[in-house]
Amino acid sequence: MIDRIVSELGPWNWMVLGIVLLVMEVVAPGVFMLWIGIAALIIGAVSLAIWDAAFWTWQVQVLAFLVLAVVSAYVGRQIAVSRQGSVDQPLLNRRGAQMVGRTATLTEPIKNGRGRIRLGDTLWRVSGPDLPVGTQVRVTGAADTDLELTVEAI
């Protein structure tokens, strides 16, 4: 059955798959389908050139596509990582980390290691030593989830 589908579509089956994957990337961007779509288009171009070769069976095409998809995804990841190296605002999406070093006054006491402070227009959960309301504290750290700050008394 697969032999029939591949032989009827010819090398265009890879072109169609590549275009479908690129459209999927446009609809739901994530920069992953892009590289797999490019791999399918390359296999399609190779298929156009050597379609009549005896060794170019659908099994060889699928294997070549899988290898090329992995290689292109790896290359795409390396390109993305190399471009992330120099950013002008490294803490842009890490609000809690932006608060480290700031001082505030406790709006709720820290009891059993938990309390609240107000920084700007946001009420933050904090952890630290038990302290009464009104104590000046300095933010010393932020949880990875940015939902809680660590504080110490000034």
Side-chain angles (χ1 to χ4, degrees), residues 18-150:
I19 290 170
V20 166
L21 289 169
L22 293 178
V23 167
M24 286 174 57
E25 180 67 35
V26 170
V27 172
V31 192
F32 184 71
M33 294 295 177
L34 170 72
W35 302 106
I36 298 173
I38 290 171
L41 291 173
I42 291 171
I43 295 297
V46 169
S47 292
L48 282 172
I50 62 171
W51 185 253
D52 293 329
F55 72 92
W56 196 244
T57 64
W58 71 267
Q59 294 94 339
V60 173
Q61 292 176 37
V62 169
L63 185 62
F65 168 70
L66 293 175
V67 170
L68 192 57
V70 169
V71 168
S72 65
Y74 178 76
V75 169
R77 176 160 168 67
Q78 295 305 314
I79 291 170
V81 167
S82 70
R83 290 187 180 179
Q84 289 180 348
S86 60
V87 292
D88 59 343
Q89 295 181 358
L91 301 177
L92 181 63
N93 291 324
R94 298 175 49 209
R95 290 185 57 220
Q98 292 175 10
M99 302 300 154
V100 173
R102 295 187 57 185
T103 59
T105 304
L106 285 175
T107 57
E108 291 181 18
I110 299 179
K111 292 182 183 175
N112 298 322
R114 303 276 190 254
R116 291 191 185 273
I117 61 171
R118 179 175 296 280
L119 283 171
D121 62 349
T122 305
L123 214 69
W124 289 86
R125 287 187 304 184
V126 295
S127 62
D130 289 355
L131 297 168
V133 172
T135 304
Q136 286 284 96
V137 293
R138 174 177 288 115
V139 178
T140 59
D144 288 338
T145 58
D146 277 349
L147 297 176
E148 185 172 270
L149 304 174
T150 306

Side-chain angles (χ1 to χ4, degrees), residues 5-28:
I5 294 171
V6 170
S7 64
E8 286 177 10
L9 287 176
W12 296 104
N13 59 358
W14 292 109
M15 299 294 191
V16 170
L17 176 64
I19 290 170
V20 166
L21 289 169
L22 293 178
V23 167
M24 286 174 57
E25 180 67 35
V26 170
V27 172

